[in-house]
Amino acid sequence: MSTGWLPAALLYGAFGLALARAPRHAAMPGLLALVAAAATATWVVPSAWRDRATFVGWLVAAFAAALVHRRAGLSSPAAFALAVLAGGCAGATTAAPLPALLCAAAALLAARASMRRMPLALGVAASWLVAVAVLAAVLALLPVTPGNLPDHLE
Amino acid sequence: MSRRRTGVAKPSSRAAAVAAAVLLLASGAAAAHDGSGLPGGFAQGFRHPFGGADHQLAMVSVGLWGAFLGRPLIHRLPLLFPVVMAGGGALGMLGLPWPSLETGIALSVLVLGGCIALGLRAPAWAALSLVAFFALFHGYAHGRELPSAADPVGYSLGFVLATGLLHLLGIALGALNARPGGVAATRGLGGAIAIAGGAFLYKALAA
Protein backbone atom coordinates (compact mmCIF):
# COMPACT_ATOMS: atom_id res chain seq x y z
CA MET A 1 0.00 0.00 0.00
CA SER A 2 2.08 2.89 -1.22
CA THR A 3 0.82 6.41 -0.72
CA GLY A 4 2.78 8.60 -3.11
CA TRP A 5 5.88 10.26 -1.84
CA LEU A 6 5.10 9.91 1.89
CA PRO A 7 6.70 6.47 2.44
CA ALA A 8 9.88 7.54 0.69
CA ALA A 9 9.94 10.83 2.57
CA LEU A 10 9.58 9.15 5.96
CA LEU A 11 12.18 6.55 5.03
CA TYR A 12 14.61 9.25 3.99
CA GLY A 13 13.80 11.14 7.17
CA ALA A 14 14.51 8.08 9.32
CA PHE A 15 17.79 7.58 7.48
CA GLY A 16 18.70 11.21 8.04
CA LEU A 17 18.11 10.85 11.77
CA ALA A 18 20.21 7.67 11.91
CA LEU A 19 22.98 9.32 9.88
CA ALA A 20 23.20 12.02 12.56
CA ARG A 21 24.43 9.28 14.93
CA ALA A 22 27.22 8.31 12.52
CA PRO A 23 30.63 9.99 12.35
CA ARG A 24 30.53 13.34 10.55
CA HIS A 25 32.74 12.11 7.72
CA ALA A 26 30.12 9.43 6.92
CA ALA A 27 27.45 12.00 6.07
CA MET A 28 28.44 12.89 2.51
CA PRO A 29 29.24 9.34 1.38
CA GLY A 30 25.99 8.23 2.99
CA LEU A 31 23.91 10.81 1.16
CA LEU A 32 25.65 10.08 -2.12
CA ALA A 33 25.05 6.35 -1.67
CA LEU A 34 21.41 7.11 -0.90
CA VAL A 35 20.99 9.10 -4.12
CA ALA A 36 22.80 6.50 -6.23
CA ALA A 37 20.80 3.61 -4.80
CA ALA A 38 17.52 5.47 -5.22
CA ALA A 39 18.28 6.40 -8.82
CA THR A 40 19.34 2.85 -9.63
CA ALA A 41 16.25 1.33 -8.03
CA THR A 42 13.97 3.74 -9.86
CA TRP A 43 15.28 2.46 -13.18
CA VAL A 44 15.88 -1.19 -12.34
CA VAL A 45 13.07 -2.32 -10.04
CA PRO A 46 9.85 -3.27 -11.88
CA SER A 47 6.76 -1.32 -10.91
CA ALA A 48 5.04 -4.62 -10.06
CA TRP A 49 7.38 -4.90 -7.09
CA ARG A 50 6.37 -1.50 -5.72
CA ASP A 51 4.10 -2.77 -2.97
CA ARG A 52 6.68 -5.26 -1.75
CA ALA A 53 9.33 -2.56 -1.85
CA THR A 54 7.05 -0.30 0.18
CA PHE A 55 6.64 -2.96 2.85
CA VAL A 56 10.39 -3.54 3.07
CA GLY A 57 10.92 0.20 3.07
CA TRP A 58 8.76 0.62 6.15
CA LEU A 59 10.77 -2.08 7.94
CA VAL A 60 13.98 -0.31 7.00
CA ALA A 61 12.54 2.99 8.23
CA ALA A 62 11.65 1.43 11.58
CA PHE A 63 15.12 -0.10 11.83
CA ALA A 64 16.84 3.16 10.92
CA ALA A 65 14.80 5.15 13.43
CA ALA A 66 15.48 2.55 16.12
CA LEU A 67 19.23 2.90 15.49
CA VAL A 68 19.01 6.47 16.78
CA HIS A 69 18.56 5.02 20.26
CA ARG A 70 21.66 2.85 19.96
CA ARG A 71 24.16 4.07 22.53
CA ALA A 72 27.19 3.33 20.36
CA GLY A 73 25.70 5.23 17.43
CA LEU A 74 26.26 4.12 13.87
CA SER A 75 29.58 3.16 12.31
CA SER A 76 30.58 4.47 8.89
CA PRO A 77 30.24 1.11 7.09
CA ALA A 78 26.85 0.54 8.70
CA ALA A 79 25.75 4.02 7.64
CA PHE A 80 26.81 3.31 4.07
CA ALA A 81 24.99 -0.03 4.03
CA LEU A 82 21.87 1.58 5.48
CA ALA A 83 22.06 4.28 2.82
CA VAL A 84 22.11 1.71 0.04
CA LEU A 85 19.23 -0.19 1.59
CA ALA A 86 17.12 2.88 2.28
CA GLY A 87 17.81 4.38 -1.12
CA GLY A 88 17.00 1.16 -2.89
CA CYS A 89 13.67 0.77 -1.12
CA ALA A 90 12.67 4.40 -1.49
CA GLY A 91 13.70 4.52 -5.13
CA ALA A 92 11.58 1.49 -5.85
CA THR A 93 8.49 3.03 -4.23
CA THR A 94 8.35 6.37 -5.93
CA ALA A 95 9.10 7.60 -9.41
CA ALA A 96 10.01 11.07 -8.08
CA PRO A 97 12.83 10.56 -5.60
CA LEU A 98 14.29 14.04 -5.62
CA PRO A 99 11.62 15.88 -3.63
CA ALA A 100 11.56 13.14 -1.00
CA LEU A 101 15.35 13.07 -0.99
CA LEU A 102 15.34 16.55 0.44
CA CYS A 103 13.84 14.99 3.56
CA ALA A 104 17.04 13.06 4.18
CA ALA A 105 19.20 16.18 4.09
CA ALA A 106 16.69 18.19 6.12
CA ALA A 107 16.36 15.44 8.72
CA LEU A 108 20.13 15.14 8.98
CA LEU A 109 20.55 18.88 9.53
CA ALA A 110 17.71 19.00 12.05
CA ALA A 111 19.07 15.97 13.87
CA ARG A 112 22.60 17.42 14.13
CA ALA A 113 21.20 20.68 15.48
CA SER A 114 19.01 18.76 17.90
CA MET A 115 21.92 16.69 19.18
CA ARG A 116 23.71 19.87 20.18
CA ARG A 117 20.84 21.70 21.87
CA MET A 118 18.10 19.22 22.68
CA PRO A 119 19.11 15.61 22.14
CA LEU A 120 15.84 14.39 23.57
CA ALA A 121 13.99 15.77 20.53
CA LEU A 122 15.98 13.42 18.31
CA GLY A 123 14.95 10.43 20.42
CA VAL A 124 11.34 11.52 20.45
CA ALA A 125 11.24 11.96 16.66
CA ALA A 126 12.89 8.57 16.23
CA SER A 127 10.35 6.87 18.51
CA TRP A 128 7.49 8.42 16.62
CA LEU A 129 8.99 7.31 13.32
CA VAL A 130 9.38 3.75 14.60
CA ALA A 131 5.74 3.75 15.63
CA VAL A 132 4.51 5.09 12.30
CA ALA A 133 6.74 2.74 10.31
CA VAL A 134 5.54 -0.32 12.23
CA LEU A 135 1.92 0.66 11.69
CA ALA A 136 2.51 1.40 8.03
CA ALA A 137 4.28 -1.93 7.52
CA VAL A 138 1.25 -3.75 8.91
CA LEU A 139 -1.03 -1.63 6.75
CA ALA A 140 0.99 -2.72 3.74
CA LEU A 141 0.07 -6.33 4.55
CA LEU A 142 -3.65 -5.70 4.82
CA PRO A 143 -5.91 -5.81 1.77
CA VAL A 144 -8.29 -3.37 3.51
CA THR A 145 -8.17 -1.28 6.65
CA PRO A 146 -10.33 -2.35 9.61
CA GLY A 147 -13.00 0.06 8.55
CA ASN A 148 -15.56 1.72 10.70
CA LEU A 149 -16.12 -0.70 13.51
CA PRO A 150 -18.15 0.23 16.55
CA ASP A 151 -16.19 2.30 18.99
CA HIS A 152 -14.89 0.50 22.05
CA LEU A 153 -17.02 2.71 24.25
CA GLU A 154 -20.21 1.80 22.41
CA MET B 1 28.97 13.64 45.81
CA SER B 2 25.33 13.93 46.70
CA ARG B 3 22.90 13.74 43.87
CA ARG B 4 20.15 16.30 44.01
CA ARG B 5 17.01 14.43 43.24
CA THR B 6 13.93 16.52 42.94
CA GLY B 7 11.91 14.00 41.00
CA VAL B 8 10.72 16.97 38.98
CA ALA B 9 11.60 17.97 35.49
CA LYS B 10 11.58 21.47 34.06
CA PRO B 11 9.97 21.04 30.70
CA SER B 12 10.44 23.58 27.97
CA SER B 13 7.86 26.34 28.36
CA ARG B 14 7.82 26.62 24.59
CA ALA B 15 6.90 22.99 24.29
CA ALA B 16 4.10 23.45 26.80
CA ALA B 17 2.75 26.41 24.86
CA VAL B 18 2.79 24.39 21.65
CA ALA B 19 0.98 21.52 23.30
CA ALA B 20 -1.64 23.81 24.78
CA ALA B 21 -2.19 25.57 21.47
CA VAL B 22 -2.60 22.27 19.70
CA LEU B 23 -5.12 21.11 22.26
CA LEU B 24 -7.13 24.30 21.92
CA LEU B 25 -7.20 23.90 18.18
CA ALA B 26 -7.87 20.21 18.13
CA SER B 27 -10.29 19.66 21.01
CA GLY B 28 -13.99 19.95 20.61
CA ALA B 29 -14.72 17.80 17.63
CA ALA B 30 -15.55 14.40 19.02
CA ALA B 31 -14.43 12.71 15.85
CA ALA B 32 -12.78 9.76 17.51
CA HIS B 33 -15.64 7.97 19.10
CA ASP B 34 -18.72 8.58 17.01
CA GLY B 35 -18.30 5.28 15.26
CA SER B 36 -19.35 6.71 11.93
CA GLY B 37 -17.45 6.76 8.70
CA LEU B 38 -14.38 8.94 8.58
CA PRO B 39 -12.27 9.71 5.56
CA GLY B 40 -9.03 9.25 7.48
CA GLY B 41 -5.92 11.12 6.75
CA PHE B 42 -3.67 13.05 8.99
CA ALA B 43 -6.27 15.45 10.34
CA GLN B 44 -8.57 12.67 11.45
CA GLY B 45 -5.70 10.68 12.90
CA PHE B 46 -4.51 13.73 14.79
CA ARG B 47 -7.98 14.40 16.18
CA HIS B 48 -8.56 10.80 17.21
CA PRO B 49 -6.80 10.81 20.63
CA PHE B 50 -8.29 14.21 21.46
CA GLY B 51 -11.80 13.04 20.78
CA GLY B 52 -11.83 10.43 23.54
CA ALA B 53 -11.51 11.47 27.19
CA ASP B 54 -10.11 8.08 28.12
CA HIS B 55 -7.29 8.38 25.60
CA GLN B 56 -6.57 11.99 26.53
CA LEU B 57 -6.44 11.35 30.26
CA ALA B 58 -4.25 8.28 29.91
CA MET B 59 -1.78 10.00 27.60
CA VAL B 60 -1.54 13.06 29.82
CA SER B 61 -1.11 10.78 32.84
CA VAL B 62 1.89 9.08 31.25
CA GLY B 63 3.62 12.42 30.85
CA LEU B 64 2.56 13.64 34.29
CA TRP B 65 3.68 10.48 36.06
CA GLY B 66 6.96 10.65 34.19
CA ALA B 67 7.40 14.19 35.51
CA PHE B 68 6.84 12.86 39.05
CA LEU B 69 9.36 10.08 38.55
CA GLY B 70 11.98 12.40 37.11
CA ARG B 71 14.99 11.42 35.04
CA PRO B 72 15.35 9.15 33.19
CA LEU B 73 11.73 8.03 33.20
CA ILE B 74 10.41 11.46 32.29
CA HIS B 75 12.08 10.82 28.93
CA ARG B 76 11.77 7.06 28.65
CA LEU B 77 8.05 6.74 29.28
CA PRO B 78 7.03 9.03 26.40
CA LEU B 79 9.65 7.39 24.19
CA LEU B 80 8.41 3.89 24.96
CA PHE B 81 4.68 4.51 24.76
CA PRO B 82 4.33 5.30 21.02
CA VAL B 83 6.47 2.36 20.00
CA VAL B 84 4.52 -0.16 22.09
CA MET B 85 1.28 1.53 21.09
CA ALA B 86 2.21 0.89 17.48
CA GLY B 87 2.59 -2.78 18.33
CA GLY B 88 -0.88 -2.80 19.83
CA GLY B 89 -2.15 -0.92 16.81
CA ALA B 90 -0.69 -3.55 14.54
CA LEU B 91 -2.52 -6.25 16.47
CA GLY B 92 -5.73 -4.27 16.16
CA MET B 93 -5.32 -3.80 12.45
CA LEU B 94 -4.72 -7.50 12.00
CA GLY B 95 -7.96 -8.17 13.84
CA LEU B 96 -6.45 -10.45 16.43
CA PRO B 97 -8.72 -11.11 19.41
CA TRP B 98 -8.07 -8.96 22.46
CA PRO B 99 -9.61 -9.54 25.88
CA SER B 100 -11.46 -6.81 27.73
CA LEU B 101 -10.31 -3.86 25.66
CA GLU B 102 -12.67 -1.37 27.30
CA THR B 103 -11.74 -2.60 30.77
CA GLY B 104 -8.05 -2.31 30.03
CA ILE B 105 -8.33 1.23 28.75
CA ALA B 106 -10.44 2.27 31.72
CA LEU B 107 -7.94 0.62 34.05
CA SER B 108 -5.10 2.55 32.45
CA VAL B 109 -6.77 5.83 33.39
CA LEU B 110 -7.57 4.59 36.89
CA VAL B 111 -4.14 3.11 37.62
CA LEU B 112 -2.05 5.92 36.12
CA GLY B 113 -4.20 8.53 37.83
CA GLY B 114 -3.84 6.60 41.06
CA CYS B 115 -0.05 6.46 40.72
CA ILE B 116 0.02 10.24 40.38
CA ALA B 117 -2.42 10.79 43.23
CA LEU B 118 -0.36 8.58 45.54
CA GLY B 119 2.93 10.05 44.31
CA LEU B 120 4.06 6.51 43.64
CA ARG B 121 7.76 6.30 42.81
CA ALA B 122 7.96 2.94 41.14
CA PRO B 123 11.26 1.41 40.04
CA ALA B 124 12.10 2.01 36.39
CA TRP B 125 11.36 -1.54 35.26
CA ALA B 126 7.93 -1.47 36.91
CA ALA B 127 6.96 1.92 35.52
CA LEU B 128 8.09 1.01 32.02
CA SER B 129 6.31 -2.36 32.17
CA LEU B 130 3.08 -0.81 33.39
CA VAL B 131 3.05 1.91 30.76
CA ALA B 132 3.95 -0.57 28.02
CA PHE B 133 1.12 -2.86 29.11
CA PHE B 134 -1.45 -0.08 28.86
CA ALA B 135 0.05 1.22 25.63
CA LEU B 136 -0.91 -2.06 23.99
CA PHE B 137 -4.57 -1.50 24.85
CA HIS B 138 -4.64 2.06 23.53
CA GLY B 139 -2.79 1.07 20.41
CA TYR B 140 -5.14 -1.81 19.79
CA ALA B 141 -8.12 0.53 20.09
CA HIS B 142 -6.60 2.97 17.59
CA GLY B 143 -5.76 0.14 15.23
CA ARG B 144 -9.26 -1.35 15.33
CA GLU B 145 -10.84 2.05 14.79
CA LEU B 146 -8.69 2.95 11.81
CA PRO B 147 -11.26 3.96 9.25
CA SER B 148 -11.22 3.05 5.62
CA ALA B 149 -9.02 5.96 4.72
CA ALA B 150 -7.62 7.54 1.64
CA ASP B 151 -4.36 8.00 3.54
CA PRO B 152 -4.08 5.50 6.39
CA VAL B 153 -0.37 6.23 6.75
CA GLY B 154 -1.22 9.86 7.31
CA TYR B 155 -3.81 8.75 9.86
CA SER B 156 -1.17 6.76 11.73
CA LEU B 157 1.20 9.71 11.59
CA GLY B 158 -1.52 11.96 12.97
CA PHE B 159 -2.47 9.91 16.00
CA VAL B 160 1.14 9.11 16.91
CA LEU B 161 1.95 12.82 16.81
CA ALA B 162 -1.15 13.68 18.82
CA THR B 163 -0.25 11.06 21.42
CA GLY B 164 3.20 12.53 21.76
CA LEU B 165 1.81 16.03 22.23
CA LEU B 166 -0.51 14.80 24.98
CA HIS B 167 2.50 13.28 26.74
CA LEU B 168 4.20 16.64 26.42
CA LEU B 169 1.21 18.33 28.01
CA GLY B 170 1.43 15.95 30.92
CA ILE B 171 5.11 16.72 31.36
CA ALA B 172 4.32 20.44 31.19
CA LEU B 173 1.69 20.03 33.91
CA GLY B 174 4.38 18.32 35.96
CA ALA B 175 6.12 21.69 36.14
CA LEU B 176 3.53 22.60 38.78
CA ASN B 177 5.44 20.37 41.18
CA ALA B 178 8.16 22.99 41.38
CA ARG B 179 5.75 25.64 42.64
CA PRO B 180 4.52 26.07 46.21
CA GLY B 181 1.62 23.69 46.70
CA GLY B 182 2.24 22.29 43.27
CA VAL B 183 2.75 18.73 44.36
CA ALA B 184 -0.62 18.72 46.10
CA ALA B 185 -2.21 20.21 43.02
CA THR B 186 -0.80 17.61 40.65
CA ARG B 187 -1.63 14.81 43.04
CA GLY B 188 -5.15 16.21 43.22
CA LEU B 189 -5.23 16.20 39.44
CA GLY B 190 -4.12 12.60 39.52
CA GLY B 191 -6.94 11.85 41.90
CA ALA B 192 -9.45 13.44 39.56
CA ILE B 193 -8.04 11.39 36.69
CA ALA B 194 -8.33 8.24 38.79
CA ILE B 195 -11.95 9.04 39.61
CA ALA B 196 -12.66 9.47 35.92
CA GLY B 197 -10.95 6.15 35.33
CA GLY B 198 -13.19 4.58 37.93
CA ALA B 199 -16.22 5.91 36.12
CA PHE B 200 -14.95 4.53 32.82
CA LEU B 201 -14.30 1.19 34.48
CA TYR B 202 -17.77 1.07 35.97
CA LYS B 203 -19.23 1.83 32.56
CA ALA B 204 -17.09 -0.84 30.91
CA LEU B 205 -17.99 -3.50 33.46
CA ALA B 206 -21.67 -2.60 33.48
CA ALA B 207 -21.88 -2.84 29.68
Side-chain angles (χ1 to χ4, degrees):
Chain A
M1 185 184 294
S2 59
T3 53
W5 57 269
L6 187 60
L10 291 177
L11 174 54
Y12 286 139
F15 171 72
L17 295 184
L19 195 59
R21 296 298 317 281
R24 292 191 77 90
H25 60 80
M28 191 52 68
L31 287 173
L32 290 174
L34 187 76
V35 172
T40 304
T42 301
W43 286 104
V44 168
V45 177
S47 58
W49 290 16
R50 186 163 289 180
D51 282 347
R52 263 176 273 178
T54 301
F55 173 69
V56 174
W58 285 122
L59 296 180
V60 173
F63 178 67
L67 284 174
V68 172
H69 294 288
R70 190 166 180 262
R71 286 191 178 210
L74 200 62
S75 65
S76 297
F80 190 84
L82 186 64
V84 172
L85 193 57
C89 291
T93 60
T94 177
L98 283 180
L101 185 58
L102 291 174
C103 292
L108 174 60
L109 290 172
R112 287 208 189 278
S114 168
M115 280 170 67
R116 282 195 298 270
R117 298 181 184 187
M118 202 162 56
L120 178 62
L122 180 60
V124 169
S127 284
W128 290 356
L129 269 175
V130 170
V132 172
V134 166
L135 289 167
V138 174
L139 280 167
L141 294 174
L142 297 176
V144 290
T145 53
N148 302 309
L149 298 174
D151 185 81
H152 67 267
L153 284 179
E154 294 173 357
Chain B
M1 173 190 288
S2 65
R3 183 180 173 188
R4 184 161 176 257
R5 183 185 161 84
T6 61
V8 170
K10 292 184 181 177
S12 159
S13 56
R14 238 181 293 167
V18 167
V22 165
L23 273 182
L24 283 172
L25 289 170
S27 64
H33 294 276
D34 59 4
S36 62
L38 291 175
F42 180 85
Q44 277 71 31
F46 190 84
R47 281 205 297 268
H48 192 269
F50 294 112
D54 51 352
H55 290 303
Q56 286 192 57
L57 292 177
M59 301 307 106
V60 170
S61 297
V62 169
L64 188 51
W65 193 33
F68 255 106
L69 296 170
R71 291 174 186 267
L73 289 171
I74 188 173
H75 306 142
R76 289 187 186 171
L77 292 182
L79 288 181
L80 177 70
F81 194 98
V83 177
V84 179
M85 183 182 69
L91 297 176
M93 289 177 192
L94 291 171
L96 297 178
W98 193 265
S100 307
L101 179 64
E102 301 88 347
T103 305
I105 289 176
L107 263 179
S108 71
V109 182
L110 174 64
V111 170
L112 291 172
C115 290
I116 297 165
L118 297 172
L120 193 64
R121 297 194 183 280
W125 66 267
L128 290 168
S129 301
L130 188 67
V131 166
F133 176 70
F134 289 135
L136 286 173
F137 284 85
H138 286 271
Y140 186 92
H142 288 310
R144 288 300 286 166
E145 293 160 19
L146 178 66
S148 299
D151 189 9
V153 175
Y155 184 93
S156 301
L157 194 61
F159 85 74
V160 168
L161 182 62
T163 297
L165 288 175
L166 284 168
H167 290 325
L168 200 60
L169 178 62
I171 294 172
L173 288 171
L176 289 173
N177 289 337
R179 296 175 178 268
V183 173
T186 51
R187 289 177 67 168
L189 179 61
I193 292 172
I195 290 171
F200 292 140
L201 184 62
Y202 174 78
K203 188 177 177 181
L205 293 175

